[in-house]
Amino acid sequence: MGDTRHALLGLSDEDVIEMYRTMLTARKVDERLWILNRAGKIPFVVSCQGQEGAQVGAAFAMDREKDYLAPYYRDVGMVLAFGMTTKEILLSAFAKQEDPNSAGRQMPGHFGQKKNRILTGSSPVTTQVPHAVGVALAGKMEKKNIVTLTALGEGSTNQGDFHEALNFAGVHKLPVITLVENNQYAISVPAHKQVACERISDRAIGYGMKGLTIDGNDPLAVYEAVKEAHDRAMNGEGPTLIEAMVHRMTAHSSDDNHLLYRDKQEIEDMKKTDPVVVMTDYLYEVGLLTEETEESIKQEIDEAINEATDYADAAPYAAPEAALDYVYEQ
């Protein structure tokens, strides 16, 4: 098995099984969130379906013991890979006191967890990019030998924060990787109405950094690109802009009806490049997955999600007076 694609990338059999498990967990957690939303149990879902391959492939290329992550609201696969648990994601969805992101104060998808070096996210899109660059600067000043990974959608690359952050990172050769998960829609606005350039990665030259566009439906291709960017950052060669082409397989959020701006055929066609299927097929091809082991993994994940759902549903909300915490000095 030494000449398998993943082995040539330096990944063990256990690594790719774990990538598959993380992607499948993200997909199944997301599916559960939609069910809970439609049942009136939770107020809001912003989905990761179709983007798990880019998220997990990128996260696995980082040093998840010391690197920093500044994700965007769809990055369920990424935060799971960095150590957030299924239970913690469900606690956030139910806005319970034990939610690690904000103790139930923010909407779902506003990730943040100090122990796993996940920077707190915010509702205005793209604000995580300057934060990631700031951490990369601090790491460089303190000679910490760390790299930061930040992600965003292609629509929010048109915000001023993106330009300022990448320009600063380029000038100071900072160890930061910016992953654009291009799902080709900014809510309902298609990519061709968002930018005039052919690829988002074309912008990299203006910031003096390497830029590339890759197939985001292929987790191993994403792993390879991010690993190379990580090596360059560690060698003092500065930042990288990576555009991963993906599909958003659901509506923008639980408050959106994507059938108003996409036809059913387009949505159906996305299933042909579903990253979870791509990874599953690869593992069968190299003999690492059988029907029996696939079923066993799915069952384990389902049991964990059921347990997490029950726990989060029954968990207490924060006390009403907790709304004043972190607002005024106490």
Side-chain angles (χ1 to χ4, degrees):
M1 282 304 205
D3 59 351
T4 58
R5 190 173 162 216
H6 66 270
L8 293 171
L9 292 173
L11 288 163
S12 68
D13 292 353
E14 291 74 25
D15 288 334
V16 283
I17 289 286
E18 193 57 34
M19 285 174 77
Y20 164 73
R21 186 189 290 271
T22 308
M23 287 172 62
L24 194 56
T25 301
R27 174 64 57 89
K28 284 177 167 285
V29 164
D30 200 89
E31 288 171 346
R32 174 57 56 86
L33 295 177
W34 279 98
I35 290 167
L36 290 168
N37 173 263
R38 293 314 191 227
K41 286 271 194 179
I42 64 171
F44 188 71
V45 184
V46 59
S47 193
C48 71
Q49 290 184 46
Q51 300 183 209
E52 302 95 337
Q55 295 168 8
V56 174
F60 269 70
M62 304 298 289
D63 183 336
R64 290 175 290 148
E65 297 300 315
K66 65 177 192 178
D67 286 339
Y68 282 74
L69 178 65
Y72 94 122
Y73 50 77
R74 294 198 193 282
D75 285 325
V76 176
M78 214 175 263
V79 298
L80 283 170
F82 260 71
M84 198 171 276
T85 65
T86 299
K87 188 176 283 185
E88 288 168 335
I89 288 170
L90 266 297
L91 282 162
S92 167
F94 277 97
K96 295 302 178 76
Q97 196 272 330
E98 287 179 78
D99 157 35
N101 304 309
S102 66
R105 298 167 73 88
Q106 292 208 88
M107 291 165 67
H110 290 53
F111 304 110
Q113 191 172 39
K114 190 173 182 180
K115 70 176 181 180
N116 285 315
R117 300 165 319 286
I118 300 170
L119 305 185
T120 299
S122 186
S123 288
V125 294
T126 330
T127 50
Q128 70 275 15
V129 183
H131 295 163
V133 170
V135 169
L137 175 65
K140 187 174 181 178
M141 290 170 72
E142 295 175 6
K143 297 182 170 53
K144 287 271 175 71
N145 227 20
I146 56 159
V147 181
T148 60
L149 170 65
T150 186
L152 67 162
E154 85 290 345
S156 56
T157 63
N158 301 316
Q159 300 285 344
D161 305 60
F162 178 81
H163 166 74
E164 292 169 33
L166 268 69
N167 186 62
F168 191 91
V171 168
H172 296 282
K173 276 196 162 2
L174 297 179
V176 59
I177 300 164
T178 303
L179 179 72
V180 177
E181 297 174 37
N182 186 344
N183 64 26
Q184 295 146 70
Y185 282 94
I187 308 184
S188 60
V189 182
H192 69 90
K193 290 187 177 179
Q194 300 172 40
V195 293
C197 56
E198 190 181 336
R199 293 178 294 267
I200 299 295
S201 63
D202 290 341
R203 295 174 167 185
I205 193 169
Y207 305 122
M209 65 180 70
K210 184 175 175 67
L212 64 159
T213 297
I214 55 171
D215 179 3
N217 298 313
D218 180 349
L220 295 180
V222 179
Y223 174 86
E224 182 177 16
V226 177
K227 183 73 173 62
E228 286 175 3
H230 191 277
D231 291 345
R232 282 196 301 275
M234 292 292 279
N235 292 335
E237 294 170 46
T240 306
L241 173 62
I242 300 173
E243 177 184 26
M245 301 303 295
V246 296
H247 292 292
R248 191 191 79 204
M249 294 172 68
T250 66
H252 171 75
S253 73
S254 50
D255 292 347
D256 172 46
N257 177 7
H258 62 157
L259 291 175
L260 294 175
Y261 54 88
R262 312 204 273 203
D263 61 47
K264 288 182 179 176
Q265 190 56 49
E266 182 184 342
I267 296 163
E268 202 56 35
D269 287 346
M270 291 176 191
K271 294 176 184 174
K272 296 173 187 171
T273 53
D274 181 337
V276 175
V277 176
V278 169
M279 194 63 170
T280 305
D281 289 349
Y282 174 78
L283 293 176
Y284 270 100
E285 189 186 309
V286 296
L288 290 179
L289 207 58
T290 63
E291 284 182 19
E292 192 181 340
T293 54
E294 183 184 3
E295 199 46 51
S296 168
I297 289 170
K298 282 181 174 175
Q299 198 173 332
E300 276 176 44
I301 293 169
D302 286 342
E303 284 171 9
I305 291 172
N306 287 339
E307 185 195 330
T309 304
D310 291 343
Y311 181 89
D313 193 11
Y317 289 102
E321 56 271 21
L324 299 175
D325 290 348
Y326 319 115
V327 178
Y328 300 106
E329 187 178 8
Q330 293 178 344

